[in-house]
Amino acid sequence: MADGIYVGMAAAAARAAQLDSVSDNLANAESPGFKAGRPAFQSFMPSNGRTDKILSAAVATGIDLRPGVTTPTDRPLDLVPPDDTFLAVATRSGQRAYTRNGNIDVSPEGELLIAGNRLLDDNGEPIVVPPESEPVLTEDGEVFADGAPVAKIGAFRILGPLDRIGPTLLGAGQNAQVNLIDDGKFRIGALELGNTPPIEATIAMISSQRHFDTAMQAIQTYRKLDERAVEVGKVR
């Protein structure tokens, strides 16, 4: 019965990976710019060539790039990037990342920040305004401070794979093309929330938990069958 235990363990491990992804989606349902993870499953034949047992595994987690719900905030430093584009930021480690999170803050030094990461302009340079000034954003992405133009926020379209760097940060994957978009319009005074509704994520979590429980019950059943087989062997 050991093969049955291995099949159950493979199923439980796959569902555990799905639970991790779904719980992350639920926790970030209202996080600005969050893109949901969608695990991909694959079936494998045993290495011994037998075809009566099939193992399953979660082999990768894709990123769902569908837009989330846009909600008005009336905050002048909140914005939503143009359709299917991303803002570019420099992380604390110096890595370049992309996000749909448009919740902008200003540091005491005048740096425009998103979740502590420096916002980049259309040339890939950090945007800095004079200290204690009040930056003003336009729908064209222009940044003004004290009435004078400072920079233009970059809007980038990524063609190719994306890697998750943080909850709302993505990185351009291998061979991905990153193109600057000049004609997009930003929506000022609004934010795009996560693209998984809480109800959808809750239902997915319940379903994943039930499948996980079923796999664990199968493991216990096969284990009991093994124990009984040993007992029968002892009696004989």
mmCIF file of all heavy atoms in Angstrom, residues 17 22 33 36 53 59 64 101 105 168 176 183 222:
data_model
loop_
_atom_site.group_PDB
_atom_site.id
_atom_site.type_symbol
_atom_site.label_atom_id
_atom_site.label_comp_id
_atom_site.label_asym_id
_atom_site.label_seq_id
_atom_site.Cartn_x
_atom_site.Cartn_y
_atom_site.Cartn_z
ATOM 1 N N ALA A 17 0.546 23.757 -1.289
ATOM 2 C CA ALA A 17 1.070 24.872 -2.072
ATOM 3 C C ALA A 17 -0.063 25.773 -2.565
ATOM 4 O O ALA A 17 0.057 27.002 -2.587
ATOM 5 C CB ALA A 17 1.881 24.339 -3.251
ATOM 6 N N VAL A 22 -3.514 30.772 -2.171
ATOM 7 C CA VAL A 22 -4.850 31.326 -1.947
ATOM 8 C C VAL A 22 -4.880 32.212 -0.709
ATOM 9 O O VAL A 22 -5.510 33.280 -0.711
ATOM 10 C CB VAL A 22 -5.885 30.189 -1.829
ATOM 11 C CG1 VAL A 22 -7.243 30.737 -1.403
ATOM 12 C CG2 VAL A 22 -6.017 29.451 -3.147
ATOM 13 N N GLY A 33 -2.390 47.480 -5.949
ATOM 14 C CA GLY A 33 -1.462 46.949 -6.940
ATOM 15 C C GLY A 33 -1.182 45.466 -6.840
ATOM 16 O O GLY A 33 -0.385 44.949 -7.635
ATOM 17 N N ALA A 36 -2.752 38.550 -8.085
ATOM 18 C CA ALA A 36 -2.936 37.239 -7.476
ATOM 19 C C ALA A 36 -2.004 36.193 -8.082
ATOM 20 O O ALA A 36 -1.611 36.279 -9.243
ATOM 21 C CB ALA A 36 -4.388 36.786 -7.636
ATOM 22 N N LYS A 53 -0.308 4.286 -11.179
ATOM 23 C CA LYS A 53 -0.215 5.326 -10.154
ATOM 24 C C LYS A 53 0.228 6.626 -10.812
ATOM 25 O O LYS A 53 1.146 6.637 -11.635
ATOM 26 C CB LYS A 53 0.801 4.933 -9.071
ATOM 27 C CG LYS A 53 0.461 3.635 -8.329
ATOM 28 C CD LYS A 53 -0.755 3.792 -7.468
ATOM 29 C CE LYS A 53 -0.980 2.570 -6.578
ATOM 30 N NZ LYS A 53 -1.171 1.329 -7.326
ATOM 31 N N VAL A 59 3.789 22.772 -9.756
ATOM 32 C CA VAL A 59 5.095 22.978 -10.376
ATOM 33 C C VAL A 59 5.475 24.451 -10.512
ATOM 34 O O VAL A 59 6.653 24.783 -10.679
ATOM 35 C CB VAL A 59 5.141 22.309 -11.757
ATOM 36 C CG1 VAL A 59 5.028 20.801 -11.625
ATOM 37 C CG2 VAL A 59 4.019 22.833 -12.660
ATOM 38 N N ASP A 64 -1.496 36.458 -12.037
ATOM 39 C CA ASP A 64 -2.712 36.906 -12.704
ATOM 40 C C ASP A 64 -2.634 38.422 -12.888
ATOM 41 O O ASP A 64 -2.641 39.175 -11.912
ATOM 42 C CB ASP A 64 -3.930 36.524 -11.854
ATOM 43 C CG ASP A 64 -5.240 36.851 -12.537
ATOM 44 O OD1 ASP A 64 -5.228 37.506 -13.591
ATOM 45 O OD2 ASP A 64 -6.291 36.441 -12.011
ATOM 46 N N ASN A 101 0.900 49.567 -7.789
ATOM 47 C CA ASN A 101 0.599 50.320 -6.573
ATOM 48 C C ASN A 101 0.969 51.777 -6.791
ATOM 49 O O ASN A 101 2.142 52.118 -6.956
ATOM 50 C CB ASN A 101 1.385 49.737 -5.396
ATOM 51 C CG ASN A 101 1.139 50.497 -4.111
ATOM 52 O OD1 ASN A 101 0.269 51.372 -4.036
ATOM 53 N ND2 ASN A 101 1.900 50.180 -3.081
ATOM 54 N N ASP A 105 4.267 58.430 -1.501
ATOM 55 C CA ASP A 105 4.627 59.266 -0.352
ATOM 56 C C ASP A 105 5.854 60.091 -0.709
ATOM 57 O O ASP A 105 6.573 59.800 -1.676
ATOM 58 C CB ASP A 105 4.921 58.401 0.876
ATOM 59 C CG ASP A 105 3.677 57.676 1.376
ATOM 60 O OD1 ASP A 105 2.632 58.331 1.528
ATOM 61 O OD2 ASP A 105 3.767 56.449 1.606
ATOM 62 N N THR A 168 3.549 43.389 -3.753
ATOM 63 C CA THR A 168 3.041 44.191 -4.870
ATOM 64 C C THR A 168 4.137 44.549 -5.865
ATOM 65 O O THR A 168 3.922 45.386 -6.741
ATOM 66 C CB THR A 168 2.385 45.481 -4.357
ATOM 67 O OG1 THR A 168 3.361 46.274 -3.656
ATOM 68 C CG2 THR A 168 1.234 45.170 -3.414
ATOM 69 N N ALA A 176 12.140 39.029 -21.098
ATOM 70 C CA ALA A 176 10.986 39.936 -21.142
ATOM 71 C C ALA A 176 11.399 41.279 -21.734
ATOM 72 O O ALA A 176 12.524 41.752 -21.538
ATOM 73 C CB ALA A 176 10.417 40.133 -19.749
ATOM 74 N N ASP A 183 1.985 57.713 -24.268
ATOM 75 C CA ASP A 183 0.676 58.325 -24.505
ATOM 76 C C ASP A 183 -0.401 57.886 -23.525
ATOM 77 O O ASP A 183 -1.577 58.165 -23.732
ATOM 78 C CB ASP A 183 0.214 58.012 -25.931
ATOM 79 C CG ASP A 183 0.178 56.511 -26.206
ATOM 80 O OD1 ASP A 183 0.623 55.743 -25.336
ATOM 81 O OD2 ASP A 183 -0.302 56.110 -27.286
ATOM 82 N N TYR A 222 -4.638 4.330 3.814
ATOM 83 C CA TYR A 222 -3.610 3.408 3.319
ATOM 84 C C TYR A 222 -2.687 2.959 4.452
ATOM 85 O O TYR A 222 -2.229 1.807 4.483
ATOM 86 C CB TYR A 222 -2.788 4.073 2.208
ATOM 87 C CG TYR A 222 -3.455 4.043 0.856
ATOM 88 C CD1 TYR A 222 -3.892 5.226 0.242
ATOM 89 C CD2 TYR A 222 -3.650 2.846 0.191
ATOM 90 C CE1 TYR A 222 -4.502 5.199 -1.002
ATOM 91 C CE2 TYR A 222 -4.262 2.811 -1.054
ATOM 92 C CZ TYR A 222 -4.690 3.988 -1.643
ATOM 93 O OH TYR A 222 -5.296 3.951 -2.871
#
